[in-house]
Amino acid sequence: MNIFKKESVSSYMQADAQLKKTLKTKDLIGLGIGAVIGTGIFILPGHEAASHAGPAVAIAFLLAALVSGMVGMAYAEFSSAMPVAGSAYSFGSVVFGEIIGWILGWSLILEYFLAVSAEATGFAAYFNDNLLSAVGINLPKALQAGPMEGGVINITAVAIVLIIAAIIMRGSAMSTKVENFAVVVKVAIIILFIAVGVFYIKSDNYVPFYPSEFHSGIFGMGGILTAAATVFFAFIGFDALAANSAETINPGKNVVRGILGTVVIAVVLYVTFSFVLTGIVNYKQLGVDDPAAFAMKVVHLATFNKLITVGALFGIFTAMMAMFIGGSRLVYALGRDGLLPKAMGHVSKKQGVPDKAIIVATVVQAVFAGLVPLSELASLINAGTLIAFAFISFGIIPLRRRKDIPNDGFKMPWYPVLPVFAGLCSIGFIFMLPSITKTSVSIWLVAGIIFYFVYGVRHSKLQQKD
């Protein structure tokens, strides 16, 4: 048994040949923007402004986007060199060895599944409070929240998970058509919010720009850094793009364009949106689950309030779909390699999708969405993301040394300084996360390592090779 045994790229590419290649650059950018511009833009700017940074939340998003952009370039190089399913898990298994790949895969399972569940609860908040209530329909409390919030089940959150699962089961071509349409609607409404909101900005709301009650840590930047670490939840979309490399036409070029295009568009929209939002409403009032719609109510723009609600619903829907696809492909990759039951590696011959993995993802995500509140879900997501970011950034160094993995496509600039810097930034943000998050994720990782030695290593196809 050699837990650091490395998988080969050719083995992965041969196994992934059964997946249909249908995705182009525009599809990947649509998938990336669909994932990145979701709950992150419609909920997190308000929460983090009220809790950690005030109007300086725009700086927090900028910092998160800059680090994400650097890591995005690392993902782009890996995807160019290794166009396989599984993203960081598969990349880690090739350059670091199976045990490190498994840890990354286990971390990303938490990231993807809880991200979908968190998005579902955000969708339910906007749908129930701003759409159903507007037409006089009020669900009973028991059907609006899980037991932790005094209800029985969040039925709207469960329903949207099931609807998206049905779409994804139809194949990647159908999924991308729905995704691309929804992304266009969402981005148009975000731009409209920014264009209209600019005229309702009150300069007094920017004073103080970084409130003193949030000053903590080194040079008093603790509040901004904590907000930046928290909003990493919003920038995990390009990991989902890398997870779809095996289903992409000419991945060496298209995945790179998709990742970098996503990061650039996202940073412009997030920073501008956050700046306008905190200019319309004082940061102290933004600790709500629908801050953008709330801002329109404050300035008495009822029509725009409804448009923002529609944009939020489209945005969260697309984010859920992208994360759902990425998570199911990760489960497929783990099943493909024997680290999870082999049924997870099954691919439907008719639709060309990992159907069993999608079913498992659906059940887990629906249960969490129905029973656990958004705040509890969101607090657990970022650590898994940052762990993967760190390993993929540092992984560029051993990747470049592998003569058996040629790469004539994209390469991360300023090697090796930029990969190391991106990895160190990711580790630094892990330390900025709340203590409960670090404790919970540590427990999850210990459970994953135990599962690997009890089940994974005994069923691993890699370990069974001569």
Side-chain angles (χ1 to χ4, degrees), residues 7 12 89 98 102 331-345 451-452 454-464:
E7 185 57 271
Y12 277 155
Y89 155 68
E98 184 176 75
W102 166 256
V331 172
Y332 151 79
L334 293 167
R336 171 197 66 193
D337 296 346
L339 298 179
L340 289 179
K342 64 179 182 180
M344 298 301 99
F451 183 90
Y452 173 77
V454 171
Y455 179 90
V457 75
R458 295 168 56 195
H459 296 82
S460 166
K461 293 180 180 179
L462 179 61
Q463 296 296 333
Q464 293 168 11

Side-chain angles (χ1 to χ4, degrees), residues 341-388:
K342 64 179 182 180
M344 298 301 99
H346 179 267
V347 175
S348 167
K349 293 182 180 180
K350 182 179 180 180
Q351 306 296 349
V353 297
D355 51 351
K356 300 296 192 300
I358 291 173
I359 292 171
V360 169
T362 301
V363 172
V364 174
Q365 290 161 175
V367 168
F368 276 103
L371 303 180
V372 184
L374 175 64
S375 58
E376 298 295 328
L377 292 167
S379 67
L380 296 175
I381 296 170
N382 299 300
T385 304
L386 289 165
I387 289 170

Side-chain angles (χ1 to χ4, degrees), residues 227-278:
T230 302
V231 301
F232 258 98
F233 168 43
F235 289 97
I236 57 181
F238 56 76
D239 185 273
L241 296 188
N244 286 277
S245 296
E247 296 166 83
T248 301
I249 299 170
N250 193 3
K253 291 183 178 180
N254 289 332
V255 174
V256 173
R257 293 169 180 168
I259 290 174
L260 299 182
T262 293
V263 172
V264 170
I265 294 171
V267 67
V268 172
L269 290 179
Y270 265 117
V271 173
T272 308
F273 187 94
S274 300
F275 187 77
V276 171
L277 177 67
T278 52

Side-chain angles (χ1 to χ4, degrees), residues 93-216:
S93 296
V94 171
V95 299
F96 293 116
E98 184 176 75
I99 183 63
I100 301 300
W102 166 256
I103 290 172
L104 294 179
W106 187 252
S107 300
L108 291 172
I109 286 177
L110 182 72
E111 170 194 316
Y112 279 121
F113 282 12
L114 294 190
V116 171
S117 299
E119 299 279 4
T121 58
F123 183 96
Y126 266 94
F127 187 82
N128 293 339
D129 298 341
N130 293 286
L131 198 61
L132 287 185
S133 61
V135 295
I137 299 175
N138 294 292
L139 294 176
K141 175 66 175 178
L143 299 180
Q144 291 191 48
M148 297 176 68
E149 295 180 299
V152 175
I153 187 170
N154 189 331
I155 194 65
T156 305
V158 172
I160 192 60
V161 170
L162 297 178
I163 290 170
I164 289 176
I167 295 172
I168 291 173
M169 274 290 195
R170 296 289 302 277
S172 57
M174 172 61 75
S175 300
T176 52
K177 286 179 182 178
V178 174
E179 180 90 6
N180 290 345
F181 170 76
V183 165
V184 170
V185 174
K186 170 179 62 177
V187 172
I189 291 175
I190 290 172
I191 292 173
L192 182 62
F193 171 85
I194 294 170
V196 172
V198 164
F199 295 99
Y200 292 87
I201 289 176
K202 296 180 179 179
S203 58
D204 290 347
N205 287 329
Y206 292 130
V207 182
F209 189 70
Y210 180 39
S212 59
E213 66 262 33
F214 299 134
H215 292 187
S216 63

